Amino acid sequence: MVCVSALDEPLKKILGGTTAKVMAEHLGLHTVGDLLHHYPRKYAERGELTRLSDLPLDEHVTVVAQVADARVLKFNNGRGQRLEVTLTDGSGRLQLVFFGKGIHKPHKDLLPGRRAMFAGKVSVFNRKLQLAHPEYALLDGEGGEEAVDAFAGRLMPIYPACQQIASWKIAKAVDAVLPSAREALDPLPESLRAGRALLPLPDALEKVHRPRTKADIEDARSRLKWDEAFVLQVALARRRMAETQLPAAPRPLTPGGLLDAFDAKLPFTLTEGQRKVSREIFDDLATEHPMHRLLQGEVGSGKTLVALRAMLAVVDTGGQAAMLAPTEVLAQQHHRSITEMMGELAEGGLLGGAEHGTKVVLLTGSMGAPARRQALLDLVTGEAGIVIGTHALIEDKVQFHDLGLVVVDEQHRFGVEQRDALRGKGKQPPHLLVMTATPIPRTVAMTVFGDLETSVLDQLPAGRSPIASHVVPAKDKPHFLARAWERVREEVENGHQAYVVCPRIGDEEDAPKAKGAKKKAEEEAAAGEDKRPPLAVLDVADQLTKGPLAGLRVEVLHGRMHPDDKDAVMRRFAAGEADVLVATTVIEVGVNVPNATAMVIMDADRFGVSQLHQLRGRVGRGSAPGLCLLVSEMPEAGPARARLAAVAGTLDGFELSRIDLEQRREGDVLGQAQSGARTSLRMLAVIEDEQVIEAAREEATSVVAADPELTGYPELRIALQALLDAEREQYLDKG
């Protein structure tokens, strides 16, 4: 975060090549500064390490325990051997397992009665918890008493670790670089720091890594949270200021045009929410600066209708509107639903079209050459007022007559460069409307989309039905799964349709395993790690047609099918010519088949909370109630099942997004996938630290208003450069 010589020193100079290499490859830590900002995730007091009775599944843990017994067992007809060690700490028991040549040292070290610290990832074998190949440090024998004292008498930092390097090794490395913390430059303005009684940065770094008391930890964390929140909000405030300087063509409402004609033929009235959000959008479109608005709406709240009205308003002023969809299936779906909603208004210039209609064209990568040529011609001449497409819209060849509005659907699927390229196609920057059906808690919107104004559609249109959701524990209660398929048959017999969603497609992915993988599989089998691959569309569809759904019309849909085939399957399903659609998450957004009432999600634990909520929103879109069954083989007590229970327990997307965020933490809130950079939030929790974020936003806005170039704040400028390389700052701009 802080860019200064001692903190820029490469770790390999101080820690040696091997440790530095592991830290760089597995934890993304390259410099002294990186390591100083790799904060402990918690602190243990002696005896307060994870108790064996409280071990969380699938997490890296550090435990202190005594060896109860150790034995070597043969497997694979005597060719392989493994060492099994049982630990106890008075609260519970835990098994360790080592394989092959890796058994010799632990066999010598881990004798019954010895105490040690162990670190590894908790898995389950034969319904017992175990650690495979854990790292360990002996706590008795030579130097053992010192090791015990070292963590007995004080708070012991437990660092975010990985299989390749244990927490205590990271702690040793931090000891080596901690003296450099004295040279850290403080990015917070002195007046702000004094006014809020925050520690100086060097003190905060020392106290967060080597606290003497719990109060030290609190003080250090308060200070470090402010650093992250403030520097981030300064970046966003500068973007907002820059945006207000950009010119845009105002697009005021034009009475008696396409929008009025469209509204007049709507067969229903808009919800109050839709009217309010439309007013906010129309006000923005009428200004001389580009609109930057985020439209959040629950699944099925009518976002597409609101976006279409905004597009028509722009077409009324002689401009064009482009809608960017993340997949071809979705682009085709949007094109179909928008032309249906507009009716003859979408046939501008055609025989039988309305007098002030416009052309609505589709542009995707897989279109045939003649259709593509015609679409490009309609765009450049202005004949087409609305274009809907995938990232094919962004290619250099695509020219617009007068691009006035860009609508981006499901923005998290689009990279920064793509949005930028599309924006560059207007004579002046076009207005931008970003739609997302993933509800975003307010603080995340402030942090991630801090330069976008936010509109929320939280009412469902009249006539939408409730969705009942249940978890189906396939392993514990196989008869529940059999009942799930009976329910699907019942829905079909009642004239409805169903989706079955799987995490994987399943053909070329099942290529023969490489030699190393085969050996690993053997070891895992010996350790009893039952890691079957995720269920696949092709296999599940085959099993269902031969088994529980025999006689029903089952079709498959996945991302590797030819676009024409995908479209044909979707059309058949929408027309009621198929009963069950077995698909990957290609159906996650935008697919609208009101007659589909049931959804079975296989291996539901392999999807995120927000993704499950999105998928579930595909059923119950008509007048009949919806049913969503979340099938999982995970054990009842684990975190995966808790996540599924949360989804089954509420239909409130905002509540679920909070749960999702608390579980994922903020690792990918800032969209690592899009910016390629590591997340900048290490200490700040965007849900818990709402007050810090709000206060930092106010402080940042006033600092930037008074000194946009930050000439009076050289340390803050350095911190800004370190946090936001140019790419990251642009990313925040276009988020």
Coordinates of all heavy atoms in Angstrom, one line a residue, residues 153 341 507 643 717:
G153 N 2.8 -17.1 26.3 CA 2.7 -15.8 27.2 C 2.1 -14.7 26.4 O 1.9 -13.6 27.0
M341 N -42.1 -7.3 -27.0 CA -42.7 -6.2 -26.2 C -43.0 -5.0 -27.1 O -44.1 -4.3 -26.9 CB -41.7 -5.7 -25.1 CG -41.7 -6.5 -23.9 SD -41.0 -5.6 -22.5 CE -39.3 -6.2 -22.5
D507 N -17.7 -33.8 -21.2 CA -17.3 -34.7 -22.3 C -15.8 -34.6 -22.3 O -15.1 -35.4 -21.7 CB -17.9 -34.4 -23.6 CG -18.0 -33.0 -24.0 OD1 -17.3 -32.2 -23.4 OD2 -18.9 -32.6 -24.8
R643 N -24.8 -22.7 4.0 CA -25.0 -21.8 2.9 C -26.3 -22.1 2.2 O -27.1 -21.3 1.9 CB -23.9 -21.9 1.9 CG -23.3 -20.6 1.6 CD -22.0 -20.6 0.7 NE -22.0 -21.6 -0.3 CZ -21.1 -22.5 -0.5 NH1 -20.1 -22.6 0.4 NH2 -21.1 -23.4 -1.5
R717 N -0.7 10.6 -2.4 CA -0.5 10.3 -3.8 C 0.3 9.0 -4.0 O -0.1 8.2 -4.9 CB 0.1 11.5 -4.5 CG -0.8 12.7 -4.7 CD -0.1 13.9 -5.3 NE 0.4 13.6 -6.6 CZ 1.1 14.6 -7.3 NH1 1.3 15.7 -6.7 NH2 1.6 14.3 -8.5

